[in-house]
Amino acid sequence: MFEGFDLEMIELPEATLRVRHGGSGPPVLLLHGHPRTHVTWHRVAPLLARTHTVVCPDLRGFGQSSKPADTPDHSGSSKRAKARDCVALMERLGFGRFAIVGHDRGAYTAFRAAMDHPASVSHLAILDGVPILEALERCDARFATAWWHWFFFAQPEKPERAILADPDAWYGGSAEQMGAQAYEDYRAAIHDPATVHAMIEDYRAGLGIDCKHDEADRRNGRRITCPTLVLWSLRDDLEMLYGNVLDVWRPWTVHCEGRGIESGHHMAEEAPETLVAELLAFLK
């Protein structure tokens, strides 16, 4: 995996991240979702690296990156804190301005980076997500049935106990679907109690401090100013929940485009060529 890429632990002001980076050209930062690590991009990153410098970290709390300290407001797991990591990481690698692509929970960090650091983010790509505030305000029985885990993960202690009782049964996945090495890396993450706790803290922050940050943005009329691409999986549930997903994003962006692609939720693993084609056309 990741032939020609470097793998290192990079110490930043607030966290130490495991980072894979390679290629040359305009920089692109790829952010994974839950419960994956940066290795989820192993079929995408080499294709992008033909024309771009590609940076793939484990987000703070995930994979082998450092875990934030617990606080009552979960601020160490907030998307604002993780966005600061992203900007600091890219500056450490020599990039003051970069494109950012986020999938699933990584999409919330990508959104926050573009919102909080507009001078640093040239392009924003969102994969399978809508703003947290929009998801919660639109919550109905369909959402609660499909995304029940948001509310279960908000509970203290019980989610970690349930997951760690049998992580493989809880999360699923297979070497056939993900690739043998990627599956091994993923299993190491989901069997680590500290990582599982930090991943759940990401959800606890989502229902609290992250939502407050979104509310403040909307109240103050702040929007994403860089070009924004939104892609969603046609075999996942965003269209079922929201109809035209772009309509959800338009109030948050100045320029927004996108479409559904033929894939399940983990599009970087299931439809890498289609995803890369969409990203390259957008970044051009």
Side-chain angles (χ1 to χ4, degrees):
M1 296 189 302
F2 293 98
E3 184 177 355
F5 279 64
D6 293 326
L7 177 64
E8 56 183 318
M9 300 296 292
I10 298 182
E11 186 174 350
L12 303 172
E14 299 180 49
T16 299
L17 303 186
R18 181 175 67 151
V19 182
R20 192 102 51 166
H21 56 98
S24 61
V28 182
L29 178 65
L30 305 181
L31 304 182
H32 62 84
H34 175 101
R36 297 305 204 248
T37 71
H38 79 273
V39 177
T40 193
W41 300 108
H42 74 98
R43 292 169 179 154
V44 167
L47 300 178
L48 288 177
R50 295 171 182 172
T51 53
H52 291 75
T53 300
V54 181
V55 181
C56 308
D58 288 353
L59 288 165
R60 167 196 304 214
F62 287 74
Q64 295 180 28
S65 290
S66 63
K67 312 303 187 263
D70 287 346
T71 59
D73 66 354
H74 313 289
S75 58
S77 294
S78 71
K79 311 313 167 287
R80 176 158 286 165
K82 293 176 183 181
R84 292 195 299 267
D85 292 344
C86 292
V87 173
L89 170 62
M90 295 305 277
E91 288 179 347
R92 179 68 58 84
L93 294 175
F95 304 114
R97 189 164 170 82
F98 54 93
I100 188 167
V101 180
H103 174 253
D104 185 76
R105 304 302 293 184
Y108 303 132
T109 294
F111 164 74
R112 182 49 50 196
M115 187 69 85
D116 287 0
H117 306 276
S120 298
V121 178
S122 64
H123 300 73
L124 169 67
I126 297 290
L127 314 181
D128 268 344
V130 301
I132 291 174
L133 181 60
E134 293 283 353
L136 293 176
E137 289 185 341
R138 295 164 184 259
C139 180
D140 57 14
R142 291 177 306 169
F143 182 90
T145 300
W147 291 27
W148 58 273
H149 60 283
W150 275 35
F151 309 106
F152 177 60
F153 288 172
Q155 309 309 310
E157 299 183 7
K158 291 182 180 180
E160 290 91 335
R161 292 176 62 186
I163 293 167
L164 290 167
D166 192 343
D168 297 310
W170 184 276
Y171 282 124
S174 68
E176 291 73 24
Q177 172 196 354
M178 301 171 66
Q181 290 177 279
Y183 182 60
E184 181 181 347
D185 188 83
Y186 155 78
R187 287 193 73 242
I190 65 173
H191 280 260
D192 176 37
T195 299
V196 169
H197 174 67
M199 291 194 297
I200 300 306
E201 283 289 292
D202 182 85
Y203 281 86
R204 293 175 179 134
L207 294 185
I209 192 169
D210 292 333
C211 191
K212 292 177 181 177
H213 292 157
D214 286 1
E215 289 172 340
D217 288 334
R218 186 166 64 187
R219 187 167 59 249
N220 294 318
R222 300 178 66 213
R223 301 170 78 182
I224 300 296
T225 55
C226 68
T228 302
L229 174 69
V230 180
L231 299 174
W232 58 93
S233 304
L234 293 176
R235 286 187 263 119
D236 203 10
D237 52 17
L238 283 194
E239 283 194 356
M240 179 270 288
L241 291 172
Y242 305 115
N244 187 339
V245 181
L246 292 180
D247 286 343
V248 182
W249 277 100
R250 286 193 175 104
W252 296 88
T253 59
V254 172
H255 173 79
C256 183
E257 61 183 272
R259 70 180 185 91
I261 65 173
E262 188 58 44
S263 176
H265 179 60
H266 295 287
M267 58 178 73
E269 299 168 7
E270 299 176 41
E273 293 86 2
T274 301
L275 176 56
V276 168
E278 292 286 344
L279 292 174
L280 289 177
F282 172 64
L283 295 173
K284 235 156 94 176

